[in-house]
Amino acid sequence: MNIEIKEAAIEQLLKMNYKENEGVRIEAIYVGSCSIYVEHELKIDNKNEDDERFIIAGVPILISSESKKHLPDKVFLNYSDGLGYKLYSDDETLRYNLQLKRVN
C-alpha cells in the first residue's frame, strides 16, 4: 500500500494532538444493499491489532486489513479550505469533503 499525503493535508494533520497509539484512520467500508459501493471516512482513532501503521511526514496513518481490500494500491490525501480532505487515486476521486473527527 502506497499513501501520499499532499503538503496542504500534512499541514492540517500536524496541527492535531495525537495521543499514544493514535493515528489518522483511512477507512473504506464496504456497503452492500440496493447498490454496492464503498464509503470512505477519515478519523483519529486508536490502533487496532489488524491495523497497518504508517508514519508519513510525521503523521501517523492507520489502515485496517479490511479497508486495504477496498482501497487502491496507491491513494492520495489532500486538503483545501473549501472542500476539506480529499481522498483519491490516479484513476478516481474516492471522496471529497471528508472531515477529520476524533473517535474517542
Side-chain angles (χ1 to χ4, degrees):
M1 171 124 243
N2 187 349
I3 304 164
E4 185 178 321
I5 305 176
K6 301 296 185 178
E7 191 62 37
I10 290 170
E11 288 176 17
Q12 291 299 312
L13 294 171
L14 287 176
K15 291 179 183 178
M16 305 304 295
N17 293 320
Y18 301 102
K19 298 174 186 170
E20 186 177 338
N21 204 38
E22 274 188 340
V24 176
R25 180 175 301 285
I26 299 174
E27 193 160 45
I29 305 161
Y30 177 77
V31 178
S33 59
C34 297
S35 61
I36 297 172
Y37 67 97
V38 176
E39 179 71 31
H40 297 88
E41 295 181 0
L42 195 63
K43 55 191 170 187
I44 298 174
D45 197 5
N46 287 317
K47 183 181 181 308
N48 295 322
E49 234 178 76
D50 75 328
D51 291 338
E52 190 167 346
R53 187 170 189 256
F54 304 86
I55 303 293
I56 302 167
V59 178
I61 301 292
L62 304 172
I63 300 181
S64 70
S65 57
E66 186 63 28
S67 288
K68 282 177 70 173
K69 294 177 189 176
H70 307 294
L71 287 168
D73 289 334
K74 184 172 186 177
V75 294
F76 300 89
L77 183 63
N78 205 350
Y79 178 85
S80 72
D81 289 332
L83 292 176
Y85 292 95
K86 177 181 173 183
L87 185 65
Y88 59 102
S89 70
D90 286 326
D91 300 321
E92 65 181 321
T93 297
L94 302 171
R95 183 152 179 211
Y96 61 90
N97 201 22
L98 283 163
Q99 304 301 313
L100 182 63
K101 299 175 184 172
R102 186 178 294 274
V103 171
N104 312 15

